[in-house]
Amino acid sequence: MTVAKTDKKIKVTLIRSLIGTKQSHRATVRGLGLRRLNSVAELEDTPAVRGMIRKVYYLVRSEG
């Protein structure tokens, strides 16, 4: 089984505070590589990353 390597990237920015959010949502944001407000992470465009973004859609902005 071979996996095609994609060069697609998604830019994710943390636009809202994590204060008052669920612990699992905080862990998801952390897993995306975002630490503080307005921090940006450039990630591979995979189904797993898209699912994480979908889970915390109200905290982040994604481009690409």
Side-chain angles (χ1 to χ4, degrees), residues 16-35:
R16 296 202 48 195
S17 173
L18 297 176
I19 296 172
T21 59
K22 292 182 177 182
Q23 189 67 36
S24 65
H25 290 203
R26 289 183 214 164
T28 301
V29 168
R30 204 47 197 194
L32 287 169
L34 302 171
R35 290 176 173 249

Side-chain angles (χ1 to χ4, degrees), residues 3 5 15 20 31 35 37-39 42 61 63:
V3 178
K5 188 174 182 182
I15 59 168
R35 290 176 173 249
L37 221 50
N38 296 317
S39 63
E42 197 165 322
R61 178 182 298 132
E63 304 167 10

Side-chain angles (χ1 to χ4, degrees), residues 2 7-8 12-15 17 20 31 33 38 40-42 48-49 54 56-57 60 64:
T2 60
D7 292 333
K8 299 266 186 175
V12 184
T13 307
L14 185 62
I15 59 168
S17 173
N38 296 317
V40 178
E42 197 165 322
V49 170
R54 197 174 300 121
V56 293
Y57 70 92
V60 299

